[in-house]
Amino acid sequence: MPSIVQRAKSFLNDERTQTYLKGDGTDLKFDSTISISKDRTANATNHAVEKGSDITDHVTDEPIGVSLTAIISDSDWDPLDPLSFVNKKVKERLSLLYDWMDKKVILAFYSYDEIIENLIIESVSEEQAVDLGDGRKLSLKLKKIVIAEPRKTEVTLKSPVPKTGAAATATKQVSGSAGANKSICGGL
């Protein structure tokens, strides 16, 4: 739990003292966050690229990945936070976490200094140890989902260009009675 000095400092500077996930209007707070790492990668082509060509056509950016290790416990009552007694228990938080993963809920991760939105849970690793009591050490892998928004744009076209020259096709209609008096079985 953050000390009273940390809480006062974070309140004055509008900083977070805890990390948490938010999904479907519900927060899942971590009691302690041990580490946070962000991964940005790009894949480049294995084929030769023509000299002078635009390299961006041959490189694709991968979505951001976030890995975090955090602890959740039942002993998160805090005398400095009068509402801490209503915090969710470990079983409730684990259930919520796995429910979000199963339903592929889009989440936001609130770290100490930024908010990363449009994430899904790729994996959860849960560790139980003697020194954690009823708590759990969680290792989470989150992946940012790129959400495309369709846009409709109206384009006014000029009148069609008439075809002339070699691109133009001509047809000629011929009328007559070719084969009209011949029997179908005449060649048998």
Side-chain angles (χ1 to χ4, degrees):
M1 286 287 130
S3 71
I4 193 162
V5 174
Q6 287 174 317
R7 284 178 188 244
K9 182 180 170 186
S10 66
F11 179 75
L12 294 173
N13 295 330
D14 196 28
E15 297 173 346
R16 281 182 283 285
T17 57
Q18 285 182 294
T19 61
Y20 62 96
L21 288 172
K22 186 181 199 87
D24 286 341
T26 306
D27 294 349
L28 188 147
K29 289 187 179 183
F30 301 109
D31 296 320
S32 177
T33 303
I34 298 167
S35 67
I36 301 170
S37 63
K38 291 180 270 186
D39 183 33
R40 290 190 66 163
T41 59
N43 291 325
T45 183
N46 290 328
H47 304 288
V49 177
E50 186 177 336
K51 185 176 183 177
S53 68
D54 189 3
I55 194 70
T56 59
D57 292 342
H58 304 281
V59 178
T60 56
D61 292 326
E62 293 295 317
I64 294 171
V66 178
S67 298
L68 66 117
T69 304
I71 294 176
I72 56 173
S73 69
D74 285 338
S75 59
D76 57 352
W77 183 81
D78 184 1
L80 300 174
D81 183 3
L83 296 176
S84 66
F85 68 91
V86 296
N87 288 343
K88 292 179 177 64
K89 299 292 183 193
V90 170
K91 286 184 181 183
E92 293 173 301
R93 290 191 267 179
L94 287 173
S95 175
L96 179 62
L97 193 62
Y98 290 126
D99 190 48
W100 283 344
M101 187 176 181
D102 293 340
K103 292 181 179 175
K104 294 147 188 73
V105 174
I106 296 176
L107 307 169
F109 174 61
Y110 291 76
S111 72
Y112 298 109
D113 58 353
E114 69 178 317
I115 302 168
I116 305 172
E117 296 180 321
N118 299 327
L119 298 167
I120 59 153
I121 301 171
E122 275 193 321
S123 69
V124 176
S125 214
E126 179 184 336
E127 180 184 326
Q128 191 173 9
V130 174
D131 58 341
L132 294 173
D134 291 334
R136 301 288 191 283
K137 180 179 177 182
L138 301 174
S139 296
L140 295 151
K141 287 187 181 179
L142 309 170
K143 180 74 90 169
K144 187 170 179 94
I145 301 299
V146 178
I147 298 176
E149 293 184 36
R151 292 186 188 158
K152 188 175 182 178
T153 305
E154 287 193 32
V155 177
T156 306
L157 299 175
K158 295 181 180 179
S159 61
V161 178
K163 289 185 177 182
T164 59
T169 57
T171 58
K172 185 176 181 184
Q173 213 169 20
V174 179
S175 60
S177 59
N181 293 331
K182 294 194 177 192
S183 164
I184 295 176
C185 298
L188 295 176

